[in-house]
Amino acid sequence: MKPPTTRSTIGAVLTGCLSAALLPASVAHAAEIRTADSATAESFARIADAVLTERTETLVNTRSAKHLAPRHSGTVRLSKRLARAEDTALSSLETRKDRLASLGEAYTDADTRVRVGSTRIRGGKATVRVTETTTLTYRKIRGDEPATTGFQAHHELSLTAGPDGTWQLTGIRPTDEGPRPVNAPAEKAAVASAASGPNATPAATSWPAPSRPKTGGSYNYAAMAAYAERYWSNYNPAYRKFNDVGGDCTNFVSQALKAGGWKHDSGLYSDYRNWWYNSSNQTMSWVGADDWSWFTLSSKRATQLSNVYQLGVGDILQMDFDRDGSKDHSMITTYRSRSGVPYLTYHSTNTYRKSVASIVASYPRSLYYAYRT
């Protein structure tokens, strides 16, 4: 759905579009596991759409001091606890919007759509998997921003049925690895590595940054960016996915680097000094954020940049969410504006041309590592 432009319209979405027929109480409370019928699944999708659209709209429009949008209809509503949590989330997004504005970024429009992937109903409980697809239009503040940024995010909804057949949405949680979308509160998602290799130096996040133009090299940076922007949401079937085993971000970066000319370095798969992928296996450095950094620095395939705003097309940015020394996420730069703002594309959550400014604004306490490839 095309998101509305005022809070009152958001309220109308929440009150007016969620009244589709749902499972009767006798069915909802049955003990066996079943999937939802089409009308019930559509109602679940609509309440998720309304909540996620409201989050997105907070980044575009001014939110009133007091949240006035009703979050229920006769058949579906947010639980009181989740409604309070959403108020807190919207307040944090207002703060993020202000932080983005101070960094020279804003949005003029947004489009959030939700699709139900699976439903599982057992007794009076429902678990629903949904996919959110959101596009935000950049405001032309400096004049050289790309047209849009976008992402696909996956969420799990938890709902509870009442004795009268109504449902309460009691929880909505992300199921992707990596940075949270710009319209969601960020949370820690880190796993420390037991191994160690060459140390990387964190990059500054201040704007503006000293210029570090690319001097040319043996790699095809345009091909790296073109690959990433082709497969950011539609995965290349020639490669395995790692979304369910720690995240696909570094696997995706490695694919893009290979498309731009990086060559395999053969050897033991567990040795970070090797980097390769084949039909049955791959090195840890191909899929692991820390191992990729260690390989890259030890092989001198990249050098480090002192500031994230120095990133150019084909360069890599990594994040350590909780500052524990273990890198948690990898991204590739696929666009750089004339005014010097890099835009990142990545998997887990699948994201297209997200600015460094919005990443830093969402994760101001994280450590960042910038690599010139």
Side-chain angles (χ1 to χ4, degrees), residues 30-44:
E32 64 271 18
I33 298 173
R34 58 172 54 85
T35 59
D37 61 32
S38 59
T40 303
E42 177 64 17
S43 295
F44 291 162

Side-chain angles (χ1 to χ4, degrees), residues 214-229 253-263 301 312-316 332-335 372-373:
K214 290 217 176 200
T215 57
S218 58
Y219 302 128
N220 187 336
Y221 302 113
M224 294 177 185
Y227 181 95
E229 295 196 345
V253 162
S254 291
Q255 293 172 34
L257 292 171
K258 187 174 185 296
W262 276 38
K263 304 298 183 184
R301 291 204 185 182
V313 171
D315 291 340
I316 306 302
I332 186 166
T333 309
T334 60
Y335 179 84
R372 169 61 44 85
T373 60

Side-chain angles (χ1 to χ4, degrees), residues 151-321:
F151 62 84
Q152 287 181 335
H154 302 89
H155 308 271
E156 183 179 276
L157 312 182
S158 299
L159 298 104
T160 300
D164 58 352
T166 62
W167 289 90
Q168 286 191 53
L169 179 63
T170 58
I172 177 168
R173 70 174 186 86
T175 60
D176 297 308
E177 298 287 341
R180 303 283 292 279
V182 70
N183 70 345
E187 291 182 356
K188 186 183 83 168
V191 177
S193 174
S196 63
N199 290 327
T201 302
T205 58
S206 56
W207 165 268
S211 177
R212 281 288 303 274
K214 290 217 176 200
T215 57
S218 58
Y219 302 128
N220 187 336
Y221 302 113
M224 294 177 185
Y227 181 95
E229 295 196 345
R230 178 180 179 183
Y231 293 111
W232 74 271
S233 62
N234 299 310
Y235 286 34
N236 186 347
Y239 290 95
R240 292 180 291 278
K241 301 176 184 179
F242 296 86
N243 303 77
D244 297 329
V245 286
D248 198 64
C249 61
T250 307
N251 176 45
F252 179 62
V253 162
S254 291
Q255 293 172 34
L257 292 171
K258 187 174 185 296
W262 276 38
K263 304 298 183 184
H264 284 176
D265 195 330
S266 61
L268 188 66
Y269 84 97
S270 58
D271 189 335
Y272 70 77
R273 291 168 294 187
N274 308 318
W275 184 82
W276 50 262
Y277 180 100
N278 62 33
S279 60
S280 60
N281 204 355
Q282 67 285 317
T283 57
M284 294 295 294
S285 61
W286 184 278
V287 295
D290 271 330
D291 296 84
W292 181 90
S293 174
W294 300 335
F295 166 77
T296 298
L297 295 178
S298 65
S299 65
K300 302 189 186 305
R301 291 204 185 182
T303 57
Q304 288 203 259
L305 297 168
S306 61
N307 191 296
V308 298
Y309 282 96
Q310 294 172 331
L311 291 161
V313 171
D315 291 340
I316 306 302
L317 181 65
Q318 292 190 310
M319 294 176 64
D320 175 2
F321 294 132

